[in-house]
């Protein structure tokens, strides 16, 4: 008995917060059900889980319906100043604000913000609640207080769960009591949350005043915010953008250490995208210099001027690891170059250019030569051939993609002798087709690309060439002779000469898992009825993914090919003419012989002209032998 008593006395009554946070770090951020269940255990655990649930509500689950996310908006609106809510056009919004005081300042936990997602959620919320519709009667707003069990509710329900279960409990590890019927005077009855009660006996108004440094009571603070507004007009889009901006202004002033920022208006009309510039320029908002300096991932897309955003961020953002710029309008290459050069260790850079000269951007790579591991350039035209020398200095590069950049041998000259000991993936795409009469004017980087592949050799595991390989003679054979560890190959094999090179590739690359025969154009198929059966026995057992999207195949040649294959495919695709009945029979026989099942056999029909129907066949297999 004494031993038992001693053991009980030495038992730690609760886990330290640091231990809890470490344990919770192993839970996936998008595992909402698990996180909500943990939140209900006790107030201490609740306090550790709430910041996780609220750190990226707009990027947490892209597949979740907007209707479940709209319940966040009334809570966010509760933080906005009254002078905004008092605007006549916003009177209906004022009626929808979350009325109860919140135990946590949920907005302060935000780490990732997707501007477009926030706009879409607010649009859905405005539409559902008919915010800007003129009505004579009061609008009855339902705050969508669905139960956790009935709705699988999203993070807005955290507030309700917190209020109902932990509003006035002690900070301990006691498990939540089972709900039941209690007398009002029973000692076991659950304690009801009092609106005036605050977490840790900390007054919420004091919290705001302390966090904002007294700015709430300073009228000049709001004058400063309004100074960056554009004139308010009566369009619903502008009103929704104004709500988004007000919420973002609050976030910029109250959130610390953002990790990810996405400013994306792709999919919007050009007018709305351009008009949104003053609303979407979060890096230029008051408070951004304290909120954004430590972001590690920045994505900016859309048809609006970005130079001011890049220039401003270059002054205080030094820790960006991943930068993605998708731009078809005013690319501002000099400003992008400035932002790149300002970083301490940029690792990933992706740019879809708006057509301006990209040379300044390429030259800026030299400033990140030790850290860049992935560079993807799309439509990045360069007039300064020497700018590729800066790319050649990136000795730790692992992935390189150059697409539709009008490459010539003069561009690639700097790369043919570059030392990329870690490069494992090369993707070169050029959708331009040439006439044979223009051969003398064409200067494709064929020898330069071949030398780059030879120099990288055994490290290359992925090569994707969406090129007219007629202008790159022997390139597939070069890959076969120098890349024994190749896992993925994609290329346009559309004649007998290229087919012979492909045979060499299959003979040498025994680790190949993905083979994609593609091309720049949908038509111009290459018939392989006479050739396909002869390569069946060359298909390595490792090959699981086979796309033959530039080839047409008849049923019987496909049957012979599959009989000669030793591998068990997981996916196949091909084209055929008129119908696919023989192909289905060949695939059924192959699946039966290999002991695998056909998960999906899909046929899409296309009119190829002159009464000819083309069938695009995709097959997914399921290996039941495992």
């Amino acid at each position: 008995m004494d031993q038992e008593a001693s053991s009980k006395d030495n038992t730690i009554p609760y886990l330290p917060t640091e231990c809890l946070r470490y344990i919770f770090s192993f839970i996936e951020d998008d595992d909402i059900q698990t996180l909500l269940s943990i939140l209900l255990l006790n107030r201490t655990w609740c306090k550790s889980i709430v910041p996780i649930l609220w750190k990226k509500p707009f990027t947490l689950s892209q597949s979740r319906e907007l209707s479940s996310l709209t319940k966040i908006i009334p809570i966010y609106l509760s933080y906005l100043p009254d002078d905004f809510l008092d605007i006549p056009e916003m009177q209906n919004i004022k009626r929808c604000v979350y009325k109860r005081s919140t135990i946590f300042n949920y907005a302060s936990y935000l780490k990732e913000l997707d501007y477009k997602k926030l706009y879409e959620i607010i649009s859905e919320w405005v539409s559902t609640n008919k915010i800007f519709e003129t009505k004579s009667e009061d609008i009855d707003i339902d705050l969508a207080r669905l139960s956790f069990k009935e709705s699988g509710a999203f993070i807005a329900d955290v507030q309700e769960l917190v209020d109902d279960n932990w509003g006035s409990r002690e900070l301990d590890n006691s498990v939540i009591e089972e709900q039941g019927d209690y007398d009002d005077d029973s000692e076991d009855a659950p304690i009801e949350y009092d609106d005036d009660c605050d977490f840790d006996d900390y007054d919420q108004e004091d919290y705001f005043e302390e966090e904002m440094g007294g700015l709430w009571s300073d009228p000049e603070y709001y004058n400063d915010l309004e100074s960056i507004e554009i004139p308010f007009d009566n369009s619903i889009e502008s009103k929704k953008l104004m709500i988004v901006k007000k919420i973002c202004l609050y976030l910029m002033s109250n959130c610390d250490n953002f990790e990810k920022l996405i400013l994306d208006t792709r999919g919007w009309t050009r007018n709305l995208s351009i008009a949104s510039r003053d609303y979407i320029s979060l890096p230029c908002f008051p408070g951004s210099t304290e909120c954004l300096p430590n972001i590690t991932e920045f994505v900016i897309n859309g048809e609006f001027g970005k130079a001011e955003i890049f220039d401003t961020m270059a002054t205080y953002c030094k820790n960006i690891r991943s930068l993605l710029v998708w731009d078809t309008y005013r690319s501002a290459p000099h400003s992008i170059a400035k932002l790149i050069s300002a970083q301490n260790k940029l690792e990933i850079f992706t740019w879809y250019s708006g057509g301006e000269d990209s040379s300044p951007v390429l030259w800026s790579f030299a400033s990140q030569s030790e850290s860049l591991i992935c560079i993807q350039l799309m439509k990045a035209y360069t007039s300064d051939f020497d700018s590729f020398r800066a790319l050649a200095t990136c000795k730790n590069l692992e992935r390189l993609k150059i697409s539709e950049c009008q490459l010539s041998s003069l561009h690639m000259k700097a790369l043919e002798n570059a030392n990329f000991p870690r490069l494992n993936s090369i993707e070169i795409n050029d959708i331009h087709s040439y006439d044979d009469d223009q051969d003398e004017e064409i200067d494709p980087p064929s020898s330069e690309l071949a030398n780059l592949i030879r120099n990288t050799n055994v490290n290359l595991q992925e090569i994707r060439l969406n090129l007219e390989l007629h202008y790159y003679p022997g390139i597939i054979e070069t890959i076969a002779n120098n890349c024994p560890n190749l896992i993925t190959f994609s290329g346009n094999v559309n004649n007998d000469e290229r087919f012979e090179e492909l045979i060499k590739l299959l003979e040498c690359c025994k680790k190949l898992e993905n083979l994609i025969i593609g091309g720049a154009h949908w038509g111009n198929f290459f018939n392989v009825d006479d050739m396909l059966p002869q390569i069946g026995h060359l298909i390595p057992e490792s090959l699981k993914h086979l796309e033959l999207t530039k080839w047409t195949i008849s049923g019987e040649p496909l049957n012979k090919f599959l009989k000669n294959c030793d591998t068990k495919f997981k996916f196949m695709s091909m084209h055929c003419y008129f119908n696919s009945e023989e192909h289905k029979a060949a695939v059924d026989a192959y699946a039966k012989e290999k002991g695998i099942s056909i998960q999906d056999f899909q046929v899409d029909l296309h009119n190829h002209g002159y009464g000819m129907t083309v069938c695009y066949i995709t097959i997914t297999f399921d290996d039941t032998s495992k």
Side-chain angles (χ1 to χ4, degrees):
M1 292 294 292
D2 291 341
Q3 260 184 332
E4 278 185 26
S6 176
S7 176
K8 289 181 179 179
D9 291 338
N10 292 330
T11 301
I12 299 176
Y14 61 88
L15 284 172
T17 303
E18 292 77 9
C19 294
L20 289 175
R21 289 175 181 169
Y22 179 74
I23 294 170
F24 297 152
S25 68
F26 290 94
I27 303 174
E28 296 293 335
D29 289 342
D30 59 354
D31 189 354
I32 304 300
Q33 301 289 349
T34 298
L35 293 171
L36 286 173
S37 298
I38 294 173
L39 176 141
L40 290 173
L41 187 65
N42 58 54
R43 292 184 70 201
T44 303
W45 287 43
C46 172
K47 188 176 182 180
S48 298
I49 287 295
V50 165
I52 299 175
L53 283 164
W54 281 83
K55 72 178 182 179
K56 50 179 183 178
F58 309 112
T59 56
L60 196 55
S61 179
Q62 299 294 339
S63 62
R64 191 172 294 276
E65 293 184 0
L66 290 177
S67 57
S68 65
L69 293 170
T70 55
K71 293 175 286 183
I72 304 173
I73 303 306
I75 296 176
Y76 270 66
L77 290 174
S78 69
Y79 301 120
L80 298 186
D82 289 338
D83 65 341
F84 173 69
L85 299 177
D86 287 337
I87 295 175
E89 292 86 346
M90 300 295 171
Q91 285 303 296
N92 287 338
I93 291 181
K94 193 171 184 180
R95 302 184 185 194
C96 303
V97 172
Y98 193 80
K99 297 299 191 299
R100 301 170 67 181
S101 60
T102 59
I103 294 174
F104 299 97
N105 181 7
Y106 296 104
S108 67
Y109 298 128
L110 194 68
K111 297 294 183 183
E112 296 185 5
L113 177 60
D114 184 337
Y115 183 92
K116 184 179 180 181
K117 190 74 171 180
L118 176 58
Y119 176 84
E120 290 173 348
I121 295 167
I122 287 178
S123 296
E124 178 73 14
W125 177 79
V126 165
S127 176
T128 300
N129 294 293
K130 303 177 181 179
I131 296 299
F132 297 121
E133 290 187 14
T134 303
K135 296 179 67 176
S136 58
E137 68 273 18
D138 292 338
I139 298 177
D140 182 17
I141 300 299
D142 179 10
L143 290 181
R145 293 178 171 277
L146 302 176
S147 70
F148 165 54
K149 291 182 179 179
E150 291 175 350
S151 65
F154 195 54
I155 56 178
D157 286 315
V158 174
Q159 168 62 30
E160 185 175 348
L161 291 171
V162 169
D163 285 350
D164 292 342
N165 295 303
W166 309 119
S168 59
R169 293 179 181 274
E170 295 297 326
L171 281 176
D172 56 27
N173 275 17
S174 59
V175 179
I176 185 171
E177 294 88 357
E178 293 291 328
Q179 299 297 320
D181 296 325
Y182 301 94
D183 295 328
D184 291 341
D185 298 330
S186 170
E187 294 182 358
D188 296 327
I191 302 174
E192 293 294 328
Y193 174 66
D194 185 351
D195 286 350
D196 295 328
C197 177
D198 283 302
F199 202 68
D200 284 338
D201 295 323
Y202 190 56
D203 186 77
Q204 188 74 4
E205 293 181 1
D206 291 341
Y207 172 82
F208 281 135
E209 190 67 25
E210 180 178 319
E211 287 294 310
M212 296 297 293
L215 291 176
W216 290 108
S217 58
D218 183 5
E220 290 301 315
Y221 172 70
Y222 297 113
N223 291 336
D224 290 339
L225 296 189
E226 293 298 326
S227 67
I228 64 170
E229 302 285 5
I230 66 173
F232 192 98
D233 62 45
N234 290 323
S235 70
I236 293 179
E237 287 79 8
S238 184
K239 293 175 184 177
K240 289 187 291 189
L241 284 171
M242 185 68 76
I243 298 172
V244 177
K245 183 173 183 177
K246 283 297 183 180
I247 290 176
C248 290
L249 282 167
Y250 178 81
L251 295 173
M252 292 298 102
S253 299
N254 289 271
C255 296
D256 296 326
N257 298 325
F258 258 46
E259 297 171 357
K260 181 177 181 179
L261 179 62
I262 303 175
L263 306 179
D264 184 0
T265 64
R266 279 184 302 164
W268 291 6
T269 64
R270 170 166 289 190
N271 288 338
L272 179 59
S273 185
I274 294 175
S276 69
R277 186 188 68 82
D278 289 326
Y279 296 100
I280 201 172
S281 300
L282 273 62
C284 306
F285 285 5
S288 59
T289 55
E290 288 75 32
C291 178
L292 300 180
N294 292 317
I295 62 169
T296 57
E297 186 173 354
F298 180 48
V299 178
I300 182 166
N301 302 319
E303 299 188 21
F304 57 91
K306 304 175 181 66
E308 183 183 5
I309 294 175
F310 295 138
D311 291 339
T312 303
M313 291 183 69
T315 64
Y316 62 81
C317 287
K318 312 293 183 182
N319 299 299
I320 298 176
R321 296 287 180 267
S322 175
L323 175 59
L324 188 154
V325 182
W326 190 284
D327 203 347
T328 57
Y329 176 85
R330 298 183 182 176
S331 296
H334 288 280
S335 297
I336 295 175
K338 185 189 298 185
L339 180 60
I340 292 173
S341 300
Q343 304 313 304
N344 293 324
K345 291 182 179 180
L346 183 65
E347 297 177 357
I348 300 172
F349 177 69
T350 301
W351 188 30
Y352 192 102
S353 170
E356 299 177 61
D357 184 8
S358 306
S359 302
V361 175
L362 267 71
W363 278 118
S364 70
F365 292 160
S367 66
Q368 308 296 320
S369 60
E370 298 290 330
S371 59
L372 274 169
I373 61 174
C374 176
I375 295 176
Q376 300 185 80
L377 303 174
M378 289 154 282
K379 292 191 174 180
Y381 165 76
T382 52
S383 61
D384 184 355
F385 301 133
D386 288 339
S387 61
F388 275 79
R389 289 164 46 196
L391 194 156
T393 65
C394 301
K395 59 183 180 181
N396 292 314
L397 201 63
E398 297 177 6
R399 179 178 177 83
L400 175 63
K401 177 179 179 179
I402 303 177
S403 178
E404 303 176 49
C405 293
Q406 301 181 28
L407 288 178
S408 69
S409 61
L410 293 176
H411 289 100
M412 292 286 286
K413 194 71 176 176
L415 298 182
E416 67 173 337
N417 295 316
N419 181 24
F420 296 132
R422 299 182 180 181
L423 188 65
N424 59 58
S425 176
I426 294 177
E427 182 172 352
I428 309 293
N429 299 327
D430 187 358
I431 66 170
H432 300 291
S433 60
Y434 308 99
D435 295 328
D436 291 337
D437 294 340
Q438 298 176 333
D439 279 356
E440 293 182 0
E441 301 177 10
I442 296 173
D443 186 24
S446 55
S447 62
E448 290 78 12
L449 179 58
N451 286 333
L452 176 61
I453 291 172
R454 290 190 189 98
N455 291 337
T456 309
N457 54 63
V458 296
N459 294 314
L460 280 172
Q461 296 182 345
E462 179 181 24
I463 299 178
R464 297 178 183 268
L465 304 176
N466 188 5
L467 302 166
E468 291 291 340
L469 294 184
H470 169 74
Y471 301 104
Y472 296 81
I475 192 69
I476 299 179
E477 187 172 356
T478 298
I479 296 170
N481 292 331
N482 294 277
C483 306
N485 295 318
L486 194 68
I487 293 176
T488 298
F489 173 76
S490 175
N492 184 8
V493 178
N494 58 5
N495 57 48
D496 293 352
E497 186 177 353
R498 300 288 90 74
F499 195 89
E500 291 298 321
E501 290 187 61
L502 179 62
I503 291 176
K504 179 74 171 179
L505 183 78
L506 294 173
E507 290 175 338
C508 297
C509 301
K510 295 302 182 181
K511 297 181 181 180
L512 203 64
E513 296 179 9
N514 308 291
L515 177 61
I516 301 101
I517 306 300
H521 304 288
W522 187 84
N524 302 323
F525 296 119
F526 180 44
N527 185 280
V528 293
D529 284 354
D530 297 332
M531 305 175 184
L532 189 66
Q534 65 178 293
I535 68 171
H537 69 283
L538 296 177
I539 298 295
E541 291 187 24
S542 59
L543 192 69
K544 302 301 178 186
H545 187 101
L546 180 63
E547 288 187 47
L548 309 178
T549 56
K550 289 294 289 184
W551 290 355
T552 59
I553 310 158
S554 298
E556 184 55 30
L558 175 64
N559 185 45
K560 292 179 180 179
F561 167 74
L562 292 174
K563 282 184 177 180
N564 292 333
C565 289
D566 291 331
T567 188
K568 294 180 180 180
F569 291 112
K570 293 183 177 180
F571 178 84
M572 289 183 63
S573 68
M574 67 204 75
H575 281 94
C576 70
Y577 290 111
F578 301 114
N579 69 73
S580 59
E581 293 178 3
E582 291 184 355
H583 300 74
K584 181 64 166 65
V587 171
D588 286 339
Y590 165 78
K592 183 177 180 180
E593 180 185 349
K594 298 300 181 183
I596 57 180
S597 61
I598 301 174
Q599 195 174 66
D600 185 48
F601 188 96
Q602 184 73 33
V603 181
D604 293 327
L605 303 179
H606 302 277
N607 186 354
H608 201 49
Y610 303 102
M612 184 177 292
T613 300
V614 177
C615 306
Y616 177 54
I617 306 170
T618 57
I619 312 118
T620 304
F621 298 95
D622 183 17
D623 189 354
T624 57
S625 64
K626 294 183 179 179

